[in-house]
Amino acid sequence: MVPDDDAFQRGFVAAAYLVGRRGKGLLDGLPNPTARTRALAGQLGHADRAARAAALAPELAALMRSLESRRLV
C-alpha cells in the first residue's frame, strides 16, 4: 500500500479534476475512498468557482511538493 493512502487519494482526485473529470468520475478508480477524499470530490462539485479553487489549491500544492521530493504522497 501507499504510505499515506488518504493523501494519495486526494492527490488522485485533484489530478483527475485537472484532466477534466467531474462529479462521481472523480472517484473512479478508488475502490475505498476515505471520508476526506469524498469531501474533496464534493467540494470540487460546488457551484461557486472560488469555492472549487479554494478546495483544489491546497491539494495541488501538496501534490506538487510530493512530486518535487520525487516520492508519491
Side-chain angles (χ1 to χ4, degrees):
M1 274 312 255
V2 177
D4 185 348
D5 197 41
D6 185 56
F8 177 84
Q9 287 186 13
R10 291 190 329 273
F12 181 90
V13 167
Y17 186 86
L18 282 180
V19 298
R21 284 190 186 175
R22 298 295 186 266
K24 292 183 181 194
L26 289 171
L27 299 175
D28 285 352
L30 296 174
N32 217 3
T34 66
R36 287 182 66 191
T37 301
R38 289 190 307 274
L40 174 61
Q43 291 167 338
L44 293 175
H46 197 282
D48 181 50
R49 185 178 189 181
R52 292 191 309 269
L56 185 61
E59 300 304 334
L60 290 178
L63 185 58
M64 293 301 103
R65 284 190 303 273
S66 175
L67 291 173
E68 285 175 351
S69 70
R70 297 176 190 242
R71 63 177 177 81
L72 287 178
V73 288

